[in-house]
Amino acid sequence: MTETIQIDEQRVALGCLGCYNEGRLAFRWFNAEQLEIIWEEGDMKYDCMTEAVCKQDDPTHEEWMIQDYDGEINRLNLGEHPFIENLIAHMKNIEEFEPSTYVPAYLLTGNYISPITPSGVEEMMDEMEVIDRHNLGDWAYELCEDTGYLDGDGKGAPQGWHPMNYIDWKWVAKDMLHDYTYIEYGDYYYARRN
């Protein structure tokens, strides 16, 4: 019987590039706090491997690499050699903020700035709208109403008749989204007006 263990923290598999090039996986899993400690101590090249699998005195085994990501951090596609300070900050932010908001904000930020920084992602979180994609029509109607676009006196219309009753708000919403850069993530659009 196989047991599945659910991990709720963001982790990276930090490993030895030399071992990887020789066809062996030598790595250890680290969360943000553990990774920050070994980075600050300058111990990245040896702390990630065990003596049993890595030739620690061999100069071809001094380079580290991220071999895998576990958790929502995986969705950021940071690669094998990310800027470690940013990686640690992203891992912490995903745990601090709601991952279903932070990850789309990160992906959306990539459309505006490069390189993507944790502070840039936090700014995007403040600027972006979260739109339920199953209720696009409601979003469009409320946006038009809030901006005053629907104001009018309705003079000359038959009793109970208003042209607003004949508008397909879902189509209006799809047209309005052309003015936004957005990411579809789960049941929502995470959007920023261009």
Side-chain angles (χ1 to χ4, degrees):
M1 180 163 130
T2 304
E3 181 181 349
T4 302
I5 299 172
Q6 180 68 32
I7 305 288
D8 289 331
E9 68 180 346
Q10 309 307 308
R11 303 184 313 162
V12 294
L14 181 64
C16 172
L17 181 60
C19 290
Y20 179 80
N21 289 337
E22 292 172 356
R24 292 179 288 120
L25 291 178
F27 66 89
R28 278 191 23 212
W29 286 103
F30 289 91
N31 64 25
E33 289 75 24
Q34 295 164 332
L35 188 61
E36 187 172 35
I37 290 168
I38 64 168
W39 177 252
E40 289 175 355
E41 291 176 355
D43 219 7
M44 290 281 284
K45 61 185 174 184
Y46 294 128
D47 221 22
C48 61
M49 289 82 54
T50 63
E51 291 180 27
V53 293
C54 184
K55 305 171 190 172
Q56 292 188 2
D57 295 327
D58 186 338
T60 63
H61 290 260
E62 292 184 355
E63 192 173 349
W64 60 268
M65 67 181 286
I66 302 295
Q67 294 181 358
D68 200 2
Y69 293 86
D70 192 22
E72 291 295 308
I73 191 72
N74 184 47
R75 295 177 184 264
L76 305 188
N77 298 319
L78 296 173
E80 296 176 353
H81 290 91
F83 186 59
I84 292 295
E85 286 92 349
N86 280 349
L87 170 62
I88 293 166
H90 288 310
M91 291 170 73
K92 287 180 176 182
N93 284 349
I94 287 173
E95 290 180 359
E96 179 183 342
F97 300 106
E98 181 63 34
S100 63
T101 303
Y102 190 83
V103 172
Y106 176 92
L107 298 172
L108 196 56
T109 302
N111 292 310
Y112 296 96
I113 63 169
S114 180
I116 303 171
T117 62
S119 61
V121 175
E122 290 180 44
E123 287 176 24
M124 181 60 67
M125 289 173 63
D126 292 336
E127 294 175 15
M128 72 181 187
E129 294 181 53
V130 180
I131 306 162
D132 184 340
R133 65 185 183 93
H134 299 293
N135 295 312
L136 275 178
D138 294 341
W139 168 76
Y141 177 82
E142 290 170 11
L143 187 59
C144 288
E145 188 174 56
D146 290 346
T147 58
Y149 184 74
L150 304 181
D151 292 346
D153 60 6
K155 290 182 181 175
Q159 182 68 24
W161 182 89
H162 194 278
M164 302 313 291
N165 296 334
Y166 298 93
I167 294 176
D168 184 342
W169 287 104
K170 188 172 183 177
W171 281 105
V172 171
K174 288 181 180 182
D175 284 345
M176 291 172 73
L177 281 173
H178 290 293
D179 292 333
Y180 287 79
T181 301
Y182 61 92
I183 301 293
E184 185 176 341
Y185 190 87
D187 288 334
Y188 298 94
Y189 291 124
Y190 295 84
R192 179 180 181 213
R193 191 172 182 88
N194 296 331

